[in-house]
Amino acid sequence: MSQNPNRSDFLQAWIPRGLLELQAQHRVPACTLEGLTPVQIQWCEGVLEDLRPLDADQSPPEHVVLPRLVDAHVHLDKAFTWQDHPNLLGTYEEALKANLVEHQSRSTELVLIRGERALQQAFMQGLRAVRSHIDSGGPGAASSWDALELLQRRWQDRVELQLVALAPLPFWTSAEAESMARRLAKCRGLLGGVLDPSMVGPAVDQSLKALLELADRHGLAVDLHIDEADHAPAQGVKQLLRALTITPVEVPITCSHASSLALLPQAALQRLGERMIRANLQVVALPLTNAWLLERRSDITPLQRPQAPIRQLQRSGVRVAVAGDNVADPWFPAGDFDPLSLMAAAIPLTQLLPWQRLGLAPFTTAAAGVLGLSWDGVLRRGAPADLVAVKGTSWSDVLRGSSSRRVLVQGQWLSSTFPTK
Ligand SMILES: [Zn+2]
């Protein structure tokens, strides 16, 4: 950090209109065709003190500013394992196989090294909160949890780290489930699992019931990998909705992936969206891993690859975040916990327009909402002085990744600028 935290400081910048809330005395400002508004932002003691629109006769700002960002779905326990456990066929099945082999050799020390590296990159590149799923159940589970709970405490003032117990669904009916739930309650963790098209029948219903009862009893939120598939449209979400009619819960439930929902006919998807809203479900779309793994065949380039139908779900009122998922592990060889790279990679896949409110929300306010963060990411008086400033004057400058970037944390600039690659 590079300056006295008590010092008042300011920056003139272009701010997306949808992330700006001005006080009533300010006139409604003009914005560019890309929805960017020229504003002077002033902060003191780590808090935004004043935001005022710049007059037309003032010189235009040279930075675009976003709030520090959020990645609602990552896997810190297996990040950077690609080198030792590559998945050269690029299939879902081979990824799982390599993941299970890697899990056998986990140690607390190894997960600490990976997690520390990941959080350092996340922090420096502008993330303020991260939700990580952790492989739970199996030989590497205990060491993974020991490491990530330690990292959660070590990083608490810089990056909020939420931890999800990603366990096979039958785990939640086992004798160990109760002690895991107690452990989760202590670290404000979440219950997780995988619901894929192979999982049908009464045993799965029983596991879901046990998971929901446990979540409700301990007040734990739920985040499931669900319908990460290119067939059996929405089978998992429908199963979950049925389970919720039998075992209704008060806690928030996140559906991660929800890819096969895109295969539903439009009217059926709309009906499903309405049911999801009534059940208070929210969605995390993971377009990069979906585009990499789904519909893969060895000898063809697929014409379509399902991913969460973001726009249709938004139209039904479902909150949808876009997140990064895997980084350099058997499930995906690329990624690096960079929220702006994620946005740049996701827009051609999702066709979201970041200069529209609903195009930007999945990367900003909706991601904060999914995680239940105290700050929604809107820049207003009294909000944290937590900013990502990119040199430039347009969305293109933000998305091309070639402009220098600075990150402001609690009113202090981090000393490095990005990119440094
Ligand atoms: Zn995942």
Side-chain angles (χ1 to χ4, degrees):
M1 309 248 182
S2 62
Q3 69 188 41
N4 179 347
N6 297 324
R7 202 178 115 198
S8 174
D9 218 332
F10 72 92
L11 178 72
Q12 294 183 341
W14 298 98
I15 298 180
R17 188 68 189 91
L19 295 176
L20 176 64
E21 195 177 296
L22 296 168
Q23 290 182 270
Q25 74 264 27
H26 292 305
R27 63 183 165 75
V28 177
C31 61
T32 67
L33 293 174
E34 289 188 327
L36 297 170
T37 303
V39 172
Q40 174 159 303
I41 317 163
Q42 189 170 327
W43 61 90
C44 187
E45 298 189 349
V47 173
L48 298 185
E49 200 174 49
D50 189 37
L51 295 104
R52 62 183 58 217
L54 294 178
D55 293 327
D57 57 358
Q58 291 179 275
S59 49
E62 295 177 355
H63 291 86
V64 179
V65 155
L66 299 171
R68 281 175 77 210
L69 296 155
V70 173
D71 197 325
H73 185 123
V74 302
H75 293 262
L76 297 187
D77 55 340
K78 61 188 90 167
F80 310 117
T81 56
W82 172 272
Q83 189 159 357
D84 293 332
H85 301 277
N87 163 20
L88 300 177
L89 295 179
T91 63
Y92 184 99
E93 295 72 22
E94 288 297 310
L96 184 58
K97 222 186 279 178
N99 190 156
L100 291 174
V101 171
E102 177 272 313
H103 193 80
Q104 307 290 320
S105 62
R106 280 200 197 170
S107 66
T108 305
E109 196 188 1
L110 277 175
V111 179
L112 267 178
I113 292 168
R114 295 171 196 162
E116 183 69 32
R117 178 178 167 192
L119 287 166
Q120 186 67 29
Q121 283 183 213
F123 179 60
M124 296 304 291
Q125 297 182 116
L127 286 171
R128 67 181 168 107
V130 168
R131 177 181 286 179
S132 177
H133 296 250
I134 305 174
D135 293 350
S136 304
S143 47
S144 300
W145 272 93
D146 290 346
L148 283 156
E149 280 178 340
L150 178 58
L151 287 170
Q152 185 189 46
R153 291 192 296 276
R154 193 186 281 172
W155 278 85
Q156 63 187 353
D157 295 333
R158 292 168 289 174
V159 178
E160 178 171 336
L161 176 56
Q162 296 186 357
L163 303 175
V164 188
L166 171 54
L169 277 187
F171 174 86
W172 299 112
T173 63
S174 74
E176 301 151 81
E178 191 66 40
S179 62
M180 176 54 95
R182 281 198 296 275
R183 185 171 192 168
L184 291 173
K186 281 192 195 131
C187 69
R188 301 180 315 285
L190 296 89
L191 276 72
V194 181
L195 197 50
D196 71 32
S198 68
M199 302 167 72
V200 282
V204 177
D205 293 338
Q206 208 49 44
S207 299
L208 274 177
K209 187 172 191 302
L211 180 148
L212 294 171
E213 284 173 352
L214 198 62
D216 212 37
R217 197 159 63 246
H218 290 268
L220 297 166
V222 174
D223 190 331
L224 294 168
H225 283 66
I226 193 164
D227 291 326
E228 181 184 6
D230 47 28
H231 57 289
Q235 182 182 286
V237 168
K238 288 177 183 171
Q239 256 174 304
L240 175 62
L241 287 167
R242 275 198 304 275
L244 282 166
T245 59
I246 298 162
T247 314
V249 298
E250 294 292 318
V251 296
I253 299 184
T254 305
C255 298
S256 284
H257 287 288
S259 322
S260 69
L261 274 60
L263 302 172
L264 287 172
Q266 193 177 330
L269 178 53
Q270 191 181 334
R271 283 196 299 276
L272 186 75
E274 286 158 10
R275 289 175 67 198
M276 290 171 75
I277 275 288
R278 284 198 293 277
N280 205 18
L281 301 185
Q282 48 191 6
V283 167
V284 175
L286 301 159
L288 273 63
T289 41
N290 292 164
W292 177 246
L293 293 168
L294 300 185
E295 289 282 6
R296 183 179 284 280
R297 310 281 183 274
S298 60
D299 56 349
I300 59 161
T301 301
L303 296 181
Q304 60 175 27
R305 285 157 293 176
Q307 58 173 308
I310 300 173
R311 302 299 300 276
Q312 297 91 317
L313 290 169
Q314 285 178 327
R315 257 203 306 279
S316 297
V318 178
R319 176 189 279 151
V320 188
V322 170
D325 210 358
N326 303 86
V327 171
D329 68 21
W331 301 88
F332 191 59
D336 66 350
F337 303 102
D338 178 346
L340 299 187
S341 295
L342 171 66
M343 201 185 294
I347 58 166
L349 297 169
T350 58
Q351 296 192 346
L352 290 172
L353 305 171
W355 38 92
Q356 292 182 353
R357 189 180 59 81
L358 281 177
L360 185 55
F363 302 98
T364 55
T365 48
V370 165
L371 266 60
L373 301 179
S374 53
W375 177 37
D376 57 8
V378 174
L379 301 172
R380 60 169 79 83
R381 183 186 160 93
D386 280 13
L387 309 174
V388 179
V390 178
K391 184 97 173 148
T393 57
S394 76
W395 270 110
S396 178
D397 292 322
V398 175
L399 294 168
R400 280 182 298 117
S402 54
S403 301
S404 67
R405 181 191 321 177
R406 296 192 78 192
V407 178
L408 187 77
V409 180
Q410 295 159 29
Q412 301 175 67
W413 292 108
L414 299 188
S415 51
S416 300
T417 56
F418 276 82
T420 55
K421 311 164 217 179

PDB file of all heavy atoms in Angstrom, residues 73 75 133 225 257 286 325-326, ligand 1:
ATOM      1  N   HIS A  73     -17.441 -17.999  -8.003  1.00  0.00           N
ATOM      2  CA  HIS A  73     -17.279 -19.460  -8.113  1.00  0.00           C
ATOM      3  C   HIS A  73     -15.876 -19.797  -8.605  1.00  0.00           C
ATOM      4  O   HIS A  73     -15.565 -19.606  -9.783  1.00  0.00           O
ATOM      5  CB  HIS A  73     -18.329 -20.025  -9.081  1.00  0.00           C
ATOM      6  CG  HIS A  73     -18.333 -21.520  -9.166  1.00  0.00           C
ATOM      7  ND1 HIS A  73     -19.454 -22.285  -8.893  1.00  0.00           N
ATOM      8  CD2 HIS A  73     -17.372 -22.410  -9.499  1.00  0.00           C
ATOM      9  CE1 HIS A  73     -19.177 -23.561  -9.054  1.00  0.00           C
ATOM     10  NE2 HIS A  73     -17.908 -23.669  -9.434  1.00  0.00           N
ATOM     11  N   HIS A  75     -12.243 -22.634  -7.578  1.00  0.00           N
ATOM     12  CA  HIS A  75     -11.801 -23.867  -6.891  1.00  0.00           C
ATOM     13  C   HIS A  75     -10.348 -23.665  -6.464  1.00  0.00           C
ATOM     14  O   HIS A  75      -9.432 -24.115  -7.152  1.00  0.00           O
ATOM     15  CB  HIS A  75     -11.912 -25.071  -7.825  1.00  0.00           C
ATOM     16  CG  HIS A  75     -13.315 -25.439  -8.191  1.00  0.00           C
ATOM     17  ND1 HIS A  75     -14.016 -26.441  -7.551  1.00  0.00           N
ATOM     18  CD2 HIS A  75     -14.164 -24.931  -9.123  1.00  0.00           C
ATOM     19  CE1 HIS A  75     -15.233 -26.536  -8.082  1.00  0.00           C
ATOM     20  NE2 HIS A  75     -15.347 -25.640  -9.040  1.00  0.00           N
ATOM     21  N   HIS A 133     -15.264 -23.448  -3.961  1.00  0.00           N
ATOM     22  CA  HIS A 133     -15.706 -24.800  -3.644  1.00  0.00           C
ATOM     23  C   HIS A 133     -14.472 -25.619  -3.271  1.00  0.00           C
ATOM     24  O   HIS A 133     -13.398 -25.410  -3.823  1.00  0.00           O
ATOM     25  CB  HIS A 133     -16.428 -25.401  -4.846  1.00  0.00           C
ATOM     26  CG  HIS A 133     -17.695 -24.647  -5.173  1.00  0.00           C
ATOM     27  ND1 HIS A 133     -18.952 -25.162  -4.974  1.00  0.00           N
ATOM     28  CD2 HIS A 133     -17.883 -23.380  -5.638  1.00  0.00           C
ATOM     29  CE1 HIS A 133     -19.858 -24.257  -5.315  1.00  0.00           C
ATOM     30  NE2 HIS A 133     -19.236 -23.163  -5.733  1.00  0.00           N
ATOM     31  N   HIS A 225     -23.269 -27.567  -7.761  1.00  0.00           N
ATOM     32  CA  HIS A 225     -22.960 -27.719  -9.187  1.00  0.00           C
ATOM     33  C   HIS A 225     -24.138 -28.493  -9.779  1.00  0.00           C
ATOM     34  O   HIS A 225     -24.352 -29.659  -9.422  1.00  0.00           O
ATOM     35  CB  HIS A 225     -21.679 -28.536  -9.376  1.00  0.00           C
ATOM     36  CG  HIS A 225     -20.418 -27.776  -9.109  1.00  0.00           C
ATOM     37  ND1 HIS A 225     -20.064 -27.312  -7.868  1.00  0.00           N
ATOM     38  CD2 HIS A 225     -19.418 -27.404  -9.949  1.00  0.00           C
ATOM     39  CE1 HIS A 225     -18.908 -26.684  -7.955  1.00  0.00           C
ATOM     40  NE2 HIS A 225     -18.483 -26.733  -9.205  1.00  0.00           N
ATOM     41  N   HIS A 257     -23.565 -23.306 -12.647  1.00  0.00           N
ATOM     42  CA  HIS A 257     -23.610 -23.851 -14.019  1.00  0.00           C
ATOM     43  C   HIS A 257     -25.001 -23.668 -14.640  1.00  0.00           C
ATOM     44  O   HIS A 257     -25.191 -22.810 -15.465  1.00  0.00           O
ATOM     45  CB  HIS A 257     -23.162 -25.325 -14.118  1.00  0.00           C
ATOM     46  CG  HIS A 257     -21.700 -25.493 -13.953  1.00  0.00           C
ATOM     47  ND1 HIS A 257     -20.796 -25.101 -14.910  1.00  0.00           N
ATOM     48  CD2 HIS A 257     -20.965 -25.977 -12.917  1.00  0.00           C
ATOM     49  CE1 HIS A 257     -19.567 -25.353 -14.487  1.00  0.00           C
ATOM     50  NE2 HIS A 257     -19.639 -25.872 -13.278  1.00  0.00           N
ATOM     51  N   LEU A 286     -21.112 -20.148 -15.677  1.00  0.00           N
ATOM     52  CA  LEU A 286     -19.675 -20.392 -15.794  1.00  0.00           C
ATOM     53  C   LEU A 286     -19.339 -20.680 -17.262  1.00  0.00           C
ATOM     54  O   LEU A 286     -19.033 -21.815 -17.641  1.00  0.00           O
ATOM     55  CB  LEU A 286     -19.293 -21.555 -14.860  1.00  0.00           C
ATOM     56  CG  LEU A 286     -19.646 -21.254 -13.388  1.00  0.00           C
ATOM     57  CD1 LEU A 286     -19.763 -22.502 -12.549  1.00  0.00           C
ATOM     58  CD2 LEU A 286     -18.627 -20.294 -12.781  1.00  0.00           C
ATOM     59  N   ASP A 325     -14.767 -20.020 -12.320  1.00  0.00           N
ATOM     60  CA  ASP A 325     -14.638 -21.468 -12.170  1.00  0.00           C
ATOM     61  C   ASP A 325     -13.166 -21.876 -12.079  1.00  0.00           C
ATOM     62  O   ASP A 325     -12.439 -21.317 -11.288  1.00  0.00           O
ATOM     63  CB  ASP A 325     -15.392 -22.204 -13.288  1.00  0.00           C
ATOM     64  CG  ASP A 325     -15.915 -23.574 -12.850  1.00  0.00           C
ATOM     65  OD1 ASP A 325     -15.672 -23.965 -11.698  1.00  0.00           O
ATOM     66  OD2 ASP A 325     -16.573 -24.246 -13.650  1.00  0.00           O
ATOM     67  N   ASN A 326     -12.729 -22.781 -12.919  1.00  0.00           N
ATOM     68  CA  ASN A 326     -11.417 -23.396 -12.722  1.00  0.00           C
ATOM     69  C   ASN A 326     -10.281 -22.557 -13.307  1.00  0.00           C
ATOM     70  O   ASN A 326     -10.445 -21.914 -14.330  1.00  0.00           O
ATOM     71  CB  ASN A 326     -11.404 -24.784 -13.358  1.00  0.00           C
ATOM     72  CG  ASN A 326     -12.501 -25.658 -12.785  1.00  0.00           C
ATOM     73  OD1 ASN A 326     -13.625 -25.631 -13.259  1.00  0.00           O
ATOM     74  ND2 ASN A 326     -12.195 -26.371 -11.730  1.00  0.00           N
TER      75      ASN A 326
HETATM   76 ZN    ZN B   1     -17.055 -25.379 -10.199  1.00  0.00          ZN
END
